[in-house]
């Protein structure tokens, strides 16, 4: 695919989308994990935010690979592209956990009567959401910083 519009590479556009969508999805994961009122307020919006973030990552990486083949290879650019490949699994995890967390609270809790299972999910769910939320935000910052260095120092 030709990742340009009017002769201008689309990578910066997708990078900006990703650098906003992934942290917003991560913050959404953290908020719904620790604040029940937000979980009710966001409802199905939380997984939708996660889906937008998830879709943005392959767009950014694919357009970045296209652009990489048209730029001079440097160690900084190589580091940026290697780091960028690590964001997709975290974005998948954020989306899947947001979807499961929403589904659990929408359909699962009403059907569960056992206190042990409810307690386990009430502990494990937020811990996983917090973990993937924090790590995905850190990943975006590290990848973005490496990309900025490759542009401005490379």
């Amino acid at each position: 695919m030709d990742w340009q519009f009017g002769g201008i590479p689309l990578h910066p556009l997708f990078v900006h989308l990703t650098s906003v969508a992934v942290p917003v999805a991560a913050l959404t994961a953290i908020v719904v994990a620790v604040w029940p009122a937000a979980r009710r307020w966001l409802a199905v919006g939380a997984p939708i935010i996660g889906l937008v973030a998830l879709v943005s990552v392959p767009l950014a990486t694919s357009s970045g690979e296209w652009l990489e083949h048209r730029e001079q290879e440097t160690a900084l650019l190589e580091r940026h592209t290697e780091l960028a490949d690590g964001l997709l699994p975290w974005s998948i995890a954020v989306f899947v956990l947001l979807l499961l967390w929403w589904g659990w609270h929408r359909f699962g809790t009403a059907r569960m009567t056992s206190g042990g299972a409810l307690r386990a999910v009430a502990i494990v769910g937020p811990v996983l959401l917090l973990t993937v939320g924090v790590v995905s935000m850190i990943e975006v910052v590290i990848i973005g910083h490496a990309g900025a260095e490759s542009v401005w120092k490379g």
Side-chain angles (χ1 to χ4, degrees):
M1 179 171 186
D2 189 23
W3 291 97
Q4 60 182 343
F5 182 75
I8 299 172
L10 290 172
H11 183 64
L13 175 69
F14 292 132
V15 164
H16 284 91
L17 172 63
T18 303
S19 62
V20 170
V22 171
V24 167
L27 288 172
T28 301
I30 292 167
V31 167
V32 299
V34 298
W35 190 18
R39 185 182 324 122
R40 287 186 297 275
W41 180 71
L42 285 166
V44 75
I48 291 171
I49 293 167
L51 181 61
V52 170
L54 175 59
V55 169
S56 74
V57 173
L59 291 172
T61 55
S62 294
S63 63
E65 289 170 0
W66 176 88
L67 186 58
E68 178 186 19
H69 296 302
R70 284 147 184 80
E71 295 292 321
Q72 177 185 349
E73 272 196 53
T74 65
L76 292 172
L77 181 59
E78 184 63 32
R79 180 172 186 271
H80 171 64
T81 57
E82 286 176 6
L83 289 169
D85 289 336
L87 185 58
L88 186 59
W90 292 106
S91 297
I92 291 169
V94 168
F95 168 66
V96 168
L97 287 172
L98 281 171
L99 185 63
L100 290 173
W101 194 241
W102 167 77
W104 171 256
H105 285 284
R106 176 70 173 94
F107 304 108
T109 55
R111 296 183 182 167
M112 290 296 281
T113 56
S114 168
L118 282 172
R119 214 175 357 260
V121 172
I123 293 168
V124 173
V127 168
L128 290 174
L129 283 163
L130 286 166
T131 302
V132 299
V134 169
V135 172
S136 64
M137 282 193 291
I138 291 169
E139 285 284 314
V140 167
V141 170
I142 292 170
I143 293 164
H145 181 71
E149 279 189 327
S150 74
V151 169
W152 298 107
K153 290 184 180 177

